[in-house]
């Protein structure tokens, strides 16, 4: 087996493969970037020299950007560790509401793998009714802010602690989150990363890891994909053949590599999407905030798990933050609640990855615009915030423009049962080249308001568990 990438999708898949695979199996992992230890990142004050736009171009909406990091562990090095599950209706958007597409499996099918992924990441959280679970979270939830306490009382079971990979208690490899809110590079290594949580997967004697080795193309012949063409950072070229090829290079590069390899599936590259996030600061009269125990404390599902509304407009995740600007008035600094409204967006064919051509080796992310379904929900934002926060003593609301990115790249190689409307099957196996598997959020047929990484990690575990060994 040859796997491209060492992010969440590759590592969770490899973890399960190693549990099930024969002792004589050989697995080669090719990683485009370098391995940078957490201590070196701290010494260098983070990844300041990493600019994703060195690796792709963008056209369409000039305000839309896309975020990721390259190197061992992928974007686990810079993610924020917010890990809600998708809820059952997110898997059935077409059947229940007539929009988008259904996923090729249900919430119940994924549920055991959600539990496993949560255990591996040591997620802190408490059960909430919208996402039924078969076992408790491994770590207790984080503590709330003053505003969260009021919201939880006003919305029982609907405003809950945000599940997170920022540890609420020290773990064997991670510190306890101390809520300083600079999670892109956590100073105390409290958030799960591949480096601090699962790097030993790559120490297995069956695994050979090659760093700074980029997969360029899939070599195919007839109906088979038989090798990856690679290039090292110093320009050496070669190809490596295997019985199983796995692309886990994120939704930008999975699609680019496939299209440069002659993948003519009508949907490859299309349906690029992510959520739309809009932040606001709620000035409160007499309610102090910022006493929560992590960066993001609360999650409201009142406009997410809402069947009537979702027939007409996008679902929203309401999120309360425990970091951000304080108020300028002396003595009232903490009387402000930073919130974020996170809207699902419907995947559209017009938003897409265009493969690299000629001397410029960067793919282009073309984003023309968000769906009307999403815009209808955004247009109601002020009314929705007023309704959700009716019990808070709001004096003023300062709105920000929509964020350029939620840092979640989704779509581009969507999975499904029918090759006419998908690129891979439910396990990421390419409909045409059955020796080739694609993993990660590029497979998402739709994107819910949930952050995608827990779901894509659970999916990678499920896909590996369903692999048949002959
Ligand atoms: C700033 C930021 C904050 C985020 N916060 C959250 C959050 O709070 N919650 C959440 O759910 N998600 C969050 N995300 C998104 C999350 O990081 C991604 O969903 C996740 O990393 C995707 O996992 P992946 O394994 O598919 O891809 P990646 O993590 O991107 O890994 C891809 C891997 O492939 C390698 N690679 C790329 N191209 C090649 C090639 N050609 N050959 C070989 N290797 C290659 C890369 O170096 C990398 O190792 C955040 C992302 C960012 C950037
Ligand atoms: S809030 Fe602070 S301690 Fe917690 S994960 Fe983020 S950076 Fe680390």
């Amino acid at each position: 087996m040859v796997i491209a990438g060492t992010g969440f999708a590759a590592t969770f898949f490899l973890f399960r493969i190693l549990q099930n695979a024969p002792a004589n199996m050989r697995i080669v992992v090719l990683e485009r970037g370098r391995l940078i230890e957490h201590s070196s990142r701290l010494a260098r004050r983070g990844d300041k020299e990493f600019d994703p736009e060195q690796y792709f171009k963008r056209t369409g909406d000039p305000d839309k950007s896309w975020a990721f990091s390259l190197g061992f562990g992928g974007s686990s090095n810079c993610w924020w560790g917010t890990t809600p599950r998708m809820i059952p209706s997110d898997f059935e958007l077409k059947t229940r509401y007539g929009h988008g597409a259904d996923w090729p499996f249900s919430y119940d099918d994924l549920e055991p793998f959600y539990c496993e992924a949560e255990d591996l990441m040591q997620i802190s959280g408490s059960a909430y009714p919208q996402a039924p679970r078969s076992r408790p979270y491994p770590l207790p939830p984080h503590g709330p802010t003053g505003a969260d306490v009021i919201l939880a009382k006003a919305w029982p079971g609907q405003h809950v602690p945000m599940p997170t990979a920022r540890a609420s208690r020290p773990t064997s490899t991670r510190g306890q989150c101390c809520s300083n809110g600079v999670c892109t590079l956590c100073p105390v290594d409290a958030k799960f990363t591949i480096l601090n949580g699962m790097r030993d997967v790559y120490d297995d004697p069956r695994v050979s890891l090659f760093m700074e080795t980029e997969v360029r193309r899939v070599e195919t012949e007839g109906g088979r994909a038989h090798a990856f063409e690679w290039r090292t950072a110093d320009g050496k070229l070669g190809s490596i053949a295997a019985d199983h090829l796995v692309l886990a290079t994120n939704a930008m590069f999975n699609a680019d590599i496939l299209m440069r390899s002659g993948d003519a599936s009508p949907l490859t590259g299309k349906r690029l999407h992510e959520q739309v996030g809009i932040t606001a600061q709620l000035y409160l009269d007499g309610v102090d905030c910022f006493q929560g125990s992590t960066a993001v404390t609360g999650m409201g599902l009142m406009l997410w798990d809402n069947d009537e509304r979702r027939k007409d407009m996008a679902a929203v995740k309401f999120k309360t933050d425990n970091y951000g600007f304080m108020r300028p008035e002396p003595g009232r600094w903490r009387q402000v609640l930073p919130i974020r409204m996170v809207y699902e967006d419907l995947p559209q064919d017009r938003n897409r990855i265009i493969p690299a051509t000629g001397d410029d080796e960067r793919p282009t992310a073309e984003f023309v615009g968000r769906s009307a379904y999403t815009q209808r929900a955004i247009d109601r934002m002020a009314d929705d915030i007023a309704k959700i926060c009716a019990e808070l003593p709001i004096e003023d609301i300062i709105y920000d423009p929509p964020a350029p990115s939620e840092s979640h790249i989704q779509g581009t190689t969507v999975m499904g049962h029918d090759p006419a409307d998908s690129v891979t099957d439910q396990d990421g196996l390419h409909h045409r080249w059955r020796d080739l598997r694609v993993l990660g959020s590029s497979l998402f047929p739709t994107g819910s308001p949930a952050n995608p990484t827990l779901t894509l990690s659970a999916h990678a575990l499920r896909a590996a568990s369903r692999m048949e060994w002959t």
Side-chain angles (χ1 to χ4, degrees):
M1 176 178 286
V2 184
I3 301 177
T6 58
F8 290 90
T11 307
F12 281 73
F13 183 76
L14 180 57
F15 170 82
R16 177 51 39 81
I17 289 294
L18 290 171
Q19 289 179 326
N20 295 347
N24 63 353
M25 179 157 180
R26 285 194 57 210
I27 303 170
V28 170
V29 181
L30 305 178
E31 167 53 55
R32 175 178 184 164
R34 289 179 294 151
L35 189 157
I36 304 175
E37 298 289 353
H38 182 253
S39 54
S40 311
R41 287 180 195 275
L42 284 180
R44 293 173 358 175
R45 295 287 184 270
D47 246 356
K48 290 209 176 354
E49 81 277 23
F50 185 83
D51 172 10
E53 295 203 13
Q54 285 176 354
Y55 299 91
F56 77 101
K57 297 179 283 184
R58 55 193 174 98
T59 58
D61 180 349
D63 296 326
K64 183 81 197 89
S65 67
W66 304 90
F68 58 85
S69 179
L70 295 177
F72 182 85
S75 293
S76 76
N77 294 306
C78 64
W79 80 319
W80 273 59
T82 301
T83 51
R85 295 180 175 194
M86 287 169 50
I87 64 174
S89 53
D90 294 332
F91 293 81
E92 298 170 0
L93 211 62
K94 186 77 180 170
T95 302
R96 294 202 194 198
Y97 313 116
H99 298 288
D102 288 346
W103 284 46
F105 49 82
S106 70
Y107 177 89
D108 288 345
D109 294 327
L110 199 59
E111 202 283 331
F113 302 97
Y114 268 140
C115 289
E116 283 194 59
E118 286 161 347
D119 283 351
L120 285 164
M121 293 191 211
Q122 289 288 285
I123 300 298
S124 308
S126 59
Y128 48 99
Q130 298 81 358
R133 44 187 310 116
S134 54
R135 58 179 190 248
Y137 277 107
L139 295 183
H142 273 285
T145 65
D148 285 317
V149 172
I150 296 171
L151 287 164
K153 215 166 163 188
W155 296 95
Q158 298 198 69
H159 185 81
V160 299
M162 178 66 87
T164 176
R166 287 172 248 108
S168 64
R169 302 283 183 279
T171 75
S172 56
T173 58
R174 283 148 58 193
Q176 178 173 345
C177 176
C178 54
S179 189
N180 48 50
V182 289
C183 312
T184 305
L185 176 62
C186 175
V188 296
D189 222 4
K191 72 169 181 187
F192 169 87
T193 65
I194 300 298
L195 266 173
N196 69 23
M198 289 177 79
R199 74 187 292 175
D200 58 349
V201 167
Y202 294 88
D203 297 335
D204 188 287
R206 290 167 289 180
V207 177
S208 308
L209 170 64
F210 293 87
M211 302 300 301
E212 297 190 78
T213 306
E214 178 190 356
V215 167
R216 303 282 305 143
R217 232 169 43 84
V218 187
E219 293 179 3
T220 61
E221 205 175 298
R224 288 209 58 203
H226 58 88
F228 280 150
E229 181 188 293
W230 52 261
R231 181 177 65 187
T232 59
D234 57 3
K236 284 196 202 82
L237 294 169
S239 102
I240 180 165
D243 296 325
H244 309 279
L245 299 171
V246 182
L247 264 185
T249 60
N250 92 27
M252 182 81 65
F253 302 110
N254 284 350
D256 179 42
I257 292 168
L258 283 178
M259 287 187 285
R260 282 193 284 106
S261 309
D263 181 2
S265 315
L267 281 181
T268 305
K270 294 184 180 154
R271 302 194 182 169
L272 170 69
H273 69 284
E274 68 169 339
Q275 298 79 0
V276 182
I278 302 179
T279 53
Q281 284 82 49
L282 276 45
Y283 280 23
L284 304 178
D285 185 9
V287 174
D288 276 344
C289 294
F290 300 118
Q291 61 276 70
S293 67
T294 190
V296 179
T297 45
M299 170 169 74
L301 293 109
M302 53 295 273
L303 301 181
W304 178 354
D305 185 32
N306 189 318
D307 280 348
E308 268 323 298
R309 182 183 158 105
R310 216 168 175 188
K311 287 177 192 150
D312 296 329
M313 66 186 80
V316 192
K317 178 181 67 194
F318 171 77
K319 180 166 99 57
T320 50
D321 287 339
N322 188 41
Y323 68 98
F325 294 108
M326 294 196 173
R327 281 176 72 150
E329 306 98 302
R332 304 195 66 193
W333 295 322
R334 288 172 50 199
Q335 294 177 17
V336 54
L337 172 66
I339 63 158
R340 193 174 188 101
M341 301 286 275
V342 181
Y343 298 84
E344 66 181 327
D345 194 8
L346 283 184
Q348 302 166 80
D349 289 2
R350 62 185 184 150
N351 297 325
R352 60 187 180 136
I353 300 294
I354 302 167
T357 50
D359 290 340
D360 191 337
E361 297 188 339
R362 294 172 299 167
T364 302
E366 179 166 79
F367 187 83
V368 181
R370 65 179 78 108
S371 64
Y373 182 68
T374 302
Q375 190 57 47
R376 276 199 292 284
I378 293 174
D379 290 343
R380 293 183 44 134
M381 183 172 63
D383 287 349
D384 287 340
I385 293 175
K387 190 171 160 205
I388 295 170
C389 301
E391 295 300 313
L392 293 176
I394 297 176
E395 293 178 329
D396 196 7
I397 302 184
I398 299 166
Y399 293 98
D400 297 325
S405 171
E406 280 297 288
S407 306
H408 306 153
I409 317 170
Q410 302 171 165
T412 78
T413 69
V414 296
M415 60 182 157
H417 296 303
D418 181 357
D421 200 30
S422 56
V423 179
T424 80
D425 71 9
Q426 62 173 305
D427 298 318
L429 284 172
H430 196 279
H431 281 308
R432 178 165 159 222
W433 300 313
R434 302 298 288 169
D435 326 81
L436 175 69
R437 190 186 299 269
V438 186
L439 294 173
S441 50
S442 63
L443 299 174
F444 286 16
T446 54
S448 89
N451 312 52
T453 307
L454 180 74
T455 298
L456 74 87
S457 302
H459 173 267
L461 288 171
R462 180 176 186 262
S465 304
R466 284 165 51 84
M467 195 161 163
E468 286 172 14
W469 299 95
T470 50

